[in-house]
Amino acid sequence: MSRLTLVASVLLILALLLAGWMVLRQPKPVPLTPELTGEVEYCLTCHADLPEISPSHPIETFGCVLCHGGERLALDADLAHSSMRGGRNPSDLAIVQASCGGADCHSGTASSDRDHIPRVLRSLQGTYAGAIASVRYTFGAQPDLTARQGTYAVAQPDFQPGDPGVPGLAAFDPASETNPSIRAFAANCLVCHLAADPPQRNFFAAPEDTTPSSANHSVDPEFARLTGCAACHTPSAGSDLSQPLHRLTTAMPYTQCNTCHNRGNYDLRLMQFIPRADHPTNRLEDYYQPIAQFVRCEWTLDCIDCHTREEAMGNGWILGSQQEAQHTRCATCHGTLTSLPRTHIIQAPDDLALRLAFLNPVIDLEVGDTILVTDQGEPIWNARPLPDGGYEMFGKATGQRFTFRAVQGTGCLQKPDEQESRYCHACHAVER
Amino acid sequence: MRPSFFQHLHPPTIPAPQARLRYTLGAGGLSLFLLLVVILTGVLEMFYYIPTPERAALSIQEISFLVPFGGLIRNLHFWSAQFLVVFSLLHLLRVILTGAYAPPRRVNYLIGISLLALILALDFSGYVLRWDNGVYWALVTGTNLIKTIPGAGPALYSLAVGGNELGAPTLVRFYAWHIFGLALTMSFLAGWHIFRVRRDGGIAVPPPELRADPSRITRAELVRRETAAALLVSAFLLALAVLYPAPIAAPLRDLTDQAFETRAPWFFLWVQQLVRLGDPFVFGVLIPGGLFLLLAFLPFLFKPPAQAELGRWFPPSGRPAQITAGLIVIIIAVLSLIAVMQNPA
């Protein structure tokens, strides 16, 4: 054998060893065939340590690809992730229909209470229509407060005259606005809705430092949130957004609401958002509006204990103001001097209250049980009357049990037509 | 020792000066070796590849990531195909620049040119078989060029893609062409090409009385050199296949979405750049086709080099052909370079 052949043979053997070593080095593929797709996927090869997103979405049933998209067979990270929907957040409103939609999932009919996506897309939290209408009206760009534009265009199918809200919204176009205040609003304030990423800057920097940062995770952890469904249903407050947040819940703590609602305040003169400069640590004293008054339940309960899903996610109509959307009042749970809070007896196993209690089992409910409902008929499934004439409520996020009384039969000085919270605050506000 | 089967495939002796690597570049022999690697790896891929738009890219992902050694086989197929283009072009240049296209080798030159056309078509069709986001240009722009041919364009397009629009028939056609229409023809022509090399008198050399160095090497030595070259190239291909995987992308799910890779495969970058200059038929079909025909008919357009000047690089009597080929190479290289610089990956 010539020397050249020998050298060539040695090189070939080395190359073969290299090839063998690379093949051995590859991770052993971990297959998963979810029931709903019936197609094998290999995401778990790398993502085995990710916690299951929620008990309602078991991995054996849903797998990963149904919601996230991506290349189910690829064992190369770039390729596997290249076709994912919405990057790390498939619930972003731009792609939520593809990720979470479907008649049996979250874009079904209103009668089956599976219309979450269409409701959210028309909701104030999605469209921001009320703020846009109010600012445009204030600065003369529209003749009244009727909502005409949203952060995106949306329509109400089969809208009839006399229906609540408006038949549709056009997309708000800052470029076509001439008033400098409206333009400033567009530049500074359009981050307060579900389709927008939170402002990307350090809220605890000096107030004059408003330099935006390109990295999402530079949002202060206190106010870190994702977009779309995950803005509320993926608890993120205090988290590093660069790390995986693989959780969905219907037990949102108040801190998640605070990622939007306790971040600071807006300056209507400068048309700017003034982020708070302190670190909120005390729930009662660190609410962003120092003059606001609270009764005890407003700072001991979580927001979702009283505020219902239709208030937060929309009721299916395109509304134009918070007044139209928000209906929970003190009287909803406490009644008035002349009436007890409204109640509802659970009639059937498919009652919405049972479904909601099943998702977040802080209370034992069964057919025949009585729960509270709002004037609109929405279940307050975590509150019910007690045999002694009192009531109990279970914290949806904490599981904590509270008891309370109805107004009727007490010495309350309220007047029948004064039911807004400010009238209750006059006597019941806590000192802070 | 009696000659082995492989030795018998070679002439008993060949002229030593023309057997040197610096003369042949080993390009013809290595092209043959690469061809064998491409066919072997391609046959293995056929066991897993599924030629339907829904499954094609997924089956390639399966080959790449899940089939034992599948990724290695696919990468070898890819890299040997790329180097087959490189080495067959080198071989063509060697033949032109040494005047070896002269009679009686004109027929074999045409067979060789046909092989080059087949190799390019094979690379192109193999590229399309990926049916993923990375092949958008080849699939859409490339086939649309056919439409621009006056008169016959629409009919030829429909023949190439199997209907009026791209879809499942297109993929099946490319698959059938890749394997039967092109690879089978190429295998046949390659055999004929090698047969003609010996029929035409072996490697081109001056007549015996005009040779400066009459020494010869035996076929045992030739086979030894070929073996060493094949071993070296195998090692090189394996290392490439392990370190630099063949391109892969997410499946092509929506042909109307143009947000994908819009760069042509590297050997057609110059055509893509030409098309940017103006009328797609003139720049995308006529000019590239004309350049190719010019190359193909080189032996018929120019006077053959003097017999005494055969068997060496750049025979002075072959200047016009050398300059023509050189210009074509420079044009293609410059256009490709501009394309790369204007549209970096």
Side-chain angles (χ1 to χ4, degrees):
Chain A
M1 195 191 279
S2 74
R3 242 180 74 196
L4 181 62
T5 316
L6 186 70
V7 170
S9 307
V10 170
L11 283 176
L12 179 61
I13 289 168
L14 285 178
L16 278 170
L17 287 174
L18 177 70
W21 177 69
M22 290 294 275
V23 169
L24 286 179
R25 242 183 95 226
Q26 277 162 5
K28 193 176 175 310
V30 180
L32 170 74
T33 307
E35 288 157 33
L36 288 178
T37 67
E39 288 182 325
V40 64
E41 53 191 51
Y42 289 89
C43 315
L44 294 182
T45 306
C46 299
H47 296 292
D49 55 349
L50 219 51
E52 188 162 87
I53 193 151
S54 82
S56 309
H57 301 92
I59 188 149
E60 301 80 16
T61 308
F62 288 82
C64 311
V65 174
L66 190 63
C67 306
H68 286 280
E71 294 304 317
R72 59 190 175 86
L73 300 176
L75 292 180
D76 170 78
D78 288 339
L79 175 62
H81 299 160
S82 67
S83 54
M84 279 177 75
R85 270 189 297 271
R88 58 201 300 264
N89 179 11
S91 81
D92 187 274
L93 293 191
I95 37 88
V96 66
Q97 179 59 39
S99 309
C100 314
D104 294 328
C105 295
H106 299 288
S107 57
T109 58
S111 53
S112 67
D113 277 304
R114 295 219 163 272
D115 56 342
H116 309 96
I117 293 173
R119 267 166 52 206
V120 167
L121 287 174
R122 293 179 211 134
S123 75
L124 276 178
Q125 307 232 45
T127 64
Y128 206 38
I132 294 172
S134 144
V135 169
R136 291 188 80 243
Y137 169 69
T138 306
F139 294 100
Q142 62 182 60
D144 52 44
L145 277 168
T146 307
R148 290 174 168 79
Q149 301 178 351
T151 50
Y152 46 80
V154 64
Q156 181 82 56
D158 308 322
F159 184 86
Q160 304 293 328
D163 280 344
V166 294
L169 298 171
F172 175 53
D173 176 19
S176 66
E177 300 292 345
T178 49
N179 185 291
S181 290
I182 302 180
R183 297 186 77 124
F185 165 78
N188 299 328
C189 308
L190 284 187
V191 289
C192 289
H193 57 95
L194 293 180
D197 275 318
Q200 292 166 15
R201 44 161 302 202
N202 182 357
F203 283 101
F204 300 111
E208 64 272 17
D209 176 16
T210 53
T211 337
S213 142
S214 58
N216 204 14
H217 55 260
S218 72
V219 175
D220 192 278
E222 197 79 41
F223 306 117
R225 68 162 171 91
L226 300 171
T227 58
C229 313
C232 304
H233 290 284
T234 298
S236 56
S239 307
D240 176 359
L241 283 190
S242 67
Q243 297 302 311
L245 287 174
H246 204 241
R247 196 183 151 208
L248 284 175
T249 182
T250 54
M252 288 77 77
Y254 75 95
T255 48
Q256 193 59 26
C257 309
N258 278 359
T259 59
C260 287
H261 295 281
N262 197 23
R263 259 189 4 232
N265 216 330
Y266 30 80
D267 182 321
L268 291 176
R269 188 173 51 86
L270 297 172
M271 208 38 90
Q272 238 184 15
F273 184 74
I274 309 295
R276 60 188 305 163
D278 62 335
H279 244 308
T281 49
N282 178 312
R283 196 175 163 195
L284 174 63
E285 282 162 20
D286 294 344
Y287 192 67
Y288 72 89
Q289 286 171 324
I291 54 167
Q293 285 187 308
F294 296 106
V295 294
R296 216 176 103 204
C297 59
E298 284 172 290
W299 64 273
T300 49
L301 297 176
D302 284 285
C303 312
I304 62 164
D305 288 336
C306 300
H307 291 292
T308 63
R309 47 210 290 282
E310 288 193 2
E311 283 182 296
M313 293 167 57
N315 59 4
W317 302 105
I318 302 174
L319 304 179
S321 71
Q322 190 186 347
Q323 288 74 22
E324 289 177 85
Q326 188 182 321
H327 46 249
T328 297
R329 297 178 304 172
C330 305
T332 309
C333 288
H334 294 279
T336 64
L337 280 173
T338 54
S339 63
L340 290 171
R342 286 186 59 179
T343 55
H344 161 77
I345 297 170
I346 297 171
Q347 303 288 356
D350 64 347
D351 194 292
L352 180 61
L354 286 182
R355 251 168 67 189
L356 296 172
F358 172 78
L359 289 179
N360 185 10
V362 293
I363 183 171
D364 284 327
L365 285 186
E366 51 193 57
V367 174
D369 282 357
T370 301
I371 54 162
L372 299 193
V373 285
T374 66
D375 290 346
Q376 286 69 22
E378 270 204 281
I380 303 176
W381 55 268
N382 55 326
R384 63 184 164 197
L386 292 169
D388 67 359
Y391 296 85
E392 66 178 354
M393 173 181 263
F394 292 88
K396 287 180 186 170
T398 59
Q400 202 182 338
R401 180 172 179 269
F402 303 90
T403 53
F404 59 96
R405 286 184 297 156
V407 172
Q408 203 178 49
T410 67
C412 181
L413 302 174
Q414 67 171 242
K415 298 183 178 132
D417 57 343
E418 290 180 349
Q419 293 299 334
E420 287 91 352
S421 60
R422 61 193 159 107
Y423 296 109
C424 306
H425 286 156
C427 296
H428 297 283
V430 290
E431 290 295 325
R432 59 169 183 161
Chain B
M1 199 172 67
R2 302 183 67 191
S4 72
F5 170 74
F6 294 101
Q7 288 171 335
H8 260 301
L9 295 174
H10 301 75
T13 64
I14 62 164
Q18 282 77 26
R20 293 207 177 98
L21 185 67
R22 69 163 182 264
Y23 177 73
T24 63
L25 308 174
L30 285 177
S31 296
L32 180 65
F33 177 68
L34 290 166
L35 192 110
L36 294 174
V37 175
V38 165
I39 291 174
L40 184 69
T41 50
V43 165
L44 290 174
E45 286 180 308
M46 282 176 71
F47 284 93
Y48 287 94
Y49 179 75
I50 302 169
T52 65
E54 297 75 32
R55 303 286 300 276
L58 289 178
S59 66
I60 291 176
Q61 289 186 16
E62 220 166 295
I63 292 172
S64 301
F65 302 113
L66 302 168
V67 175
F69 297 99
L72 192 67
I73 297 292
R74 173 169 182 257
N75 295 345
L76 280 174
H77 189 72
F78 171 79
W79 280 117
S80 45
Q82 310 308 307
F83 279 99
L84 185 52
V85 175
V86 173
F87 276 95
S88 52
L89 283 173
L90 273 180
H91 180 55
L92 173 66
L93 272 181
R94 198 278 292 167
V95 166
I96 294 174
L97 299 180
T98 60
Y101 53 81
R105 295 183 175 80
R106 288 202 302 204
V107 171
N108 211 16
Y109 180 88
L110 281 180
I111 299 174
I113 284 285
S114 314
L115 278 167
L116 178 64
L118 286 173
I119 288 168
L120 290 176
L122 273 160
D123 261 44
F124 186 81
S125 54
Y127 181 85
V128 167
L129 290 185
R130 282 167 53 195
W131 212 260
D132 66 27
N133 293 344
V135 306
Y136 187 82
W137 185 90
L139 182 61
V140 179
T141 320
T143 52
N144 275 344
L145 278 181
I146 304 174
K147 274 192 199 161
T148 65
I149 300 170
L156 284 176
Y157 178 83
S158 149
L159 197 70
V161 310
N164 293 327
E165 53 180 19
L166 300 170
T170 316
L171 184 50
V172 168
R173 276 196 190 197
F174 270 80
Y175 184 64
W177 270 109
H178 188 73
I179 287 151
F180 300 106
L182 301 171
L184 214 59
T185 315
M186 179 179 70
S187 307
F188 171 73
L189 284 186
W192 191 12
H193 193 60
I194 291 156
F195 166 80
R196 283 297 306 229
V197 170
R198 286 192 63 182
R199 174 54 55 87
D200 293 339
I203 198 156
V205 279
E209 63 277 12
L210 295 175
R211 286 179 203 166
D213 175 5
S215 59
R216 299 180 77 84
I217 61 162
T218 64
R219 57 181 163 199
E221 173 60 20
L222 184 59
V223 168
R224 204 157 28 236
R225 288 185 196 178
E226 285 174 356
T227 309
L231 289 171
L232 278 175
V233 168
S234 303
F236 177 69
L237 281 177
L238 265 174
L240 266 182
V242 169
L243 301 174
Y244 301 97
I248 191 166
L252 204 49
R253 294 185 170 104
D254 180 8
L255 282 170
T256 54
D257 187 346
Q258 302 202 6
F260 303 132
E261 171 77 57
T262 49
R263 222 162 97 164
W266 65 271
F267 45 89
F268 281 140
L269 276 176
W270 62 284
V271 180
Q272 186 178 31
Q273 192 62 29
L274 269 175
V275 173
R276 291 194 183 119
L277 296 178
D279 182 68
F281 174 63
V282 174
F283 288 93
V285 181
L286 270 191
I287 293 181
L291 287 179
F292 193 79
L293 284 180
L294 183 62
L295 267 183
F297 291 102
L298 212 67
F300 303 89
L301 296 173
F302 299 104
K303 245 175 48 191
Q307 288 282 308
E309 291 175 353
L310 285 180
R312 52 171 278 209
W313 282 91
F314 307 112
S317 52
R319 283 286 181 267
Q322 292 160 22
I323 291 170
T324 307
L327 281 177
I328 294 175
V329 169
I330 289 170
I331 289 171
I332 291 178
V334 168
L335 283 170
S336 305
L337 211 67
I338 296 174
V340 170
M341 291 196 308
Q342 284 188 351
N343 189 4

